[in-house]
Amino acid sequence: MTESLRTARDSERQSSQRETGATAVDQRACPECSGTIRPDQDTSERTCTDCGLVVAEDDLDRGPEWRTHSAEESAQRSRVGAPVTALQHDHGLSTTISWQDRDANGNALSPEKLRRIRRLRTWDERFRTKSSLERNLRHAFGEIERMGSALGLPEPCRETGAVTYRQAVDDDLLPGRSIEAMATASLYGAARQHGIPRSLPTFATVSRVDKLPIQRAYRYLSRELGLGIAPAHPLDYLHRYASALEVNTEVEQLARDILDCGEQQDLHVGRSPAGLAAAALYAGAQLCNEHLTQATVSDTTDVSRLTIRNRYQELLEVYGEETS
DNA sequence: ACCTTATTCTATCGGAT
DNA sequence: ATCCGGTAGAATAAGGT
């Protein structure tokens, strides 16, 4: 019932109808059963899709490179400098002059210095936004920031939107299109890539343009940039759902088999991968005589009971033929 | 720009264990 | 009493003309 589950499911639904290709799969095969290795979505583990063996974990330490001995000390430490951000047209690397008429100590400036500072500000502004391209980016990024915070999209997502927009500009996709629509479309795509999509009408409410231009801009963007919105696979959900449902490994393994079987019969085409994963788990539990109700699965996976029912019936049908 | 198509969701009810 | 299965109608997204 978490937001992440819900949104991930939505993103699946959106991408599944169009894209049935394989997801990114690790080159190596599983040492135990020579199955396929697939990166888990929310941990950094790589797991075998057949036997569930955890093959590798991301062993990079992404924590700070210093250490501290107390909480206060830890709080005082910080990485040096502001992070580089894609959300500013100059990546946040240029100097900024404060808007306050005060010096470093917080004292008011003398009239003479004030004049100089104001003059500097003017030139700084001219320097930072010297071309129409940069004004364009400033405008667009401002919009992305505004809409992103209005929709509660996290920082990394907004940055992705900004990167996408910059790509669009670099590829000359902008001429003839509105900055607003493109910026909105970029953010829309970014949200989907981050697995936290908002629907188009939702975007239309915070954007200054209507739903249709956004839709058109997004399609254009997606086609021209080849955005490759994460093509999803039911197996990407299986382990997470299995953990959330606290089923034993036997059930999970069975669910994998069922999914494999269904995939060979092209049952996954056009269907929500999340729904398939949930249904496979339910089916697996049934076959193992595990007590697991449709309602429970539906609640934990945020897939409707109806969908689970329809999918699991189909899955069992082909699975029964396969095994009999 | 409009319309069609496929899927899923919510709401609801009847039957079975 | 709870769980399962089926149906109807609405919403949503993608694609074609």
Side-chain angles (χ1 to χ4, degrees), chain A residues 11 14-15 18 161 164 168 173 177-194 197-200 203 209-230:
Chain A
S11 106
Q14 287 156 1
S15 58
R18 200 160 29 78
T164 308
L173 300 185
R177 258 156 267 271
S178 86
I179 295 176
E180 287 286 338
M182 266 303 181
T184 316
S186 301
L187 191 59
Y188 173 71
R192 286 177 54 167
Q193 278 177 307
H194 281 251
R198 303 289 187 272
S199 69
L200 274 169
F203 268 97
V209 290
D210 291 332
K211 183 187 144 208
L212 267 154
I214 303 172
Q215 197 171 14
R216 267 200 296 279
Y218 175 70
R219 249 198 264 180
Y220 185 63
L221 204 62
S222 171
R223 182 157 36 94
E224 295 297 322
L225 253 43
L227 277 183
I229 299 297

Side-chain angles (χ1 to χ4, degrees), chain A residues 283-302:
Chain A
Q286 294 285 299
L287 293 180
C288 289
N289 289 321
E290 286 274 327
H291 182 67
L292 196 61
T293 68
Q294 292 179 0
T296 323
V297 180
S298 173
D299 281 349
T300 40
T301 61
D302 248 3

Side-chain angles (χ1 to χ4, degrees), chain A residues 44-291:
Chain A
S44 54
E45 293 176 351
R46 294 174 180 281
T47 50
C48 171
T49 53
D50 289 331
C51 63
L53 178 75
V54 177
V55 176
E57 294 177 43
D58 183 1
D59 47 7
L60 279 184
D61 183 1
R62 302 186 188 285
E65 65 270 31
W66 37 260
R67 65 200 178 104
T68 56
H69 301 283
S70 70
E72 306 91 80
E73 206 180 338
S74 176
Q76 283 168 3
R77 297 272 190 154
S78 71
R79 302 289 294 267
V80 177
V84 175
T85 173
L87 277 168
Q88 288 180 27
H89 71 283
D90 50 15
H91 296 276
L93 287 175
S94 64
T95 315
T96 36
I97 299 178
S98 168
W99 54 271
Q100 295 177 78
D101 291 329
R102 303 199 165 267
D103 66 15
N105 293 323
N107 300 319
L109 297 169
S110 67
E112 190 190 339
K113 278 198 171 159
L114 197 56
R115 264 179 41 122
R116 275 172 58 192
I117 289 296
R118 286 192 175 148
R119 193 76 193 131
L120 275 172
R121 264 193 212 123
T122 306
W123 277 103
D124 183 48
E125 192 64 18
R126 285 176 189 166
F127 169 73
R128 282 200 290 152
T129 59
K130 57 174 177 293
S131 68
S132 66
L133 167 68
E134 295 191 355
R135 280 196 297 275
N136 178 330
L137 287 179
R138 275 171 73 90
H139 181 186
F141 292 171
E143 285 302 295
I144 289 176
E145 269 294 283
R146 183 182 62 79
M147 292 185 289
S149 72
L151 294 175
L153 295 171
E155 187 72 27
C157 182
R158 290 180 235 167
E159 285 209 23
T160 307
V163 170
T164 308
Y165 185 85
R166 194 185 289 270
Q167 254 173 17
V169 172
D170 286 347
D171 289 8
D172 285 332
L173 300 185
L174 258 295
R177 258 156 267 271
S178 86
I179 295 176
E180 287 286 338
M182 266 303 181
T184 316
S186 301
L187 191 59
Y188 173 71
R192 286 177 54 167
Q193 278 177 307
H194 281 251
I196 41 177
R198 303 289 187 272
S199 69
L200 274 169
T202 316
F203 268 97
T205 58
V206 294
S207 177
R208 293 187 211 279
V209 290
D210 291 332
K211 183 187 144 208
L212 267 154
I214 303 172
Q215 197 171 14
R216 267 200 296 279
Y218 175 70
R219 249 198 264 180
Y220 185 63
L221 204 62
S222 171
R223 182 157 36 94
E224 295 297 322
L225 253 43
L227 277 183
I229 299 297
H233 195 281
L235 289 177
D236 294 334
Y237 289 92
L238 194 67
H239 185 62
R240 193 147 45 100
Y241 285 172
S243 305
L245 288 166
E246 294 175 348
V247 297
N248 59 41
T249 51
E250 191 189 353
V251 174
E252 189 181 340
Q253 183 58 49
L254 193 53
R256 282 178 206 279
D257 292 344
I258 294 172
L259 277 180
D260 274 349
C261 192
E263 190 169 358
Q264 281 166 21
Q265 304 290 323
D266 285 340
L267 272 187
H268 62 299
V269 178
R271 265 62 186 273
S272 149
L276 279 165
L281 280 170
Y282 176 73
Q286 294 285 299
L287 293 180
C288 289
N289 289 321
E290 286 274 327
H291 182 67

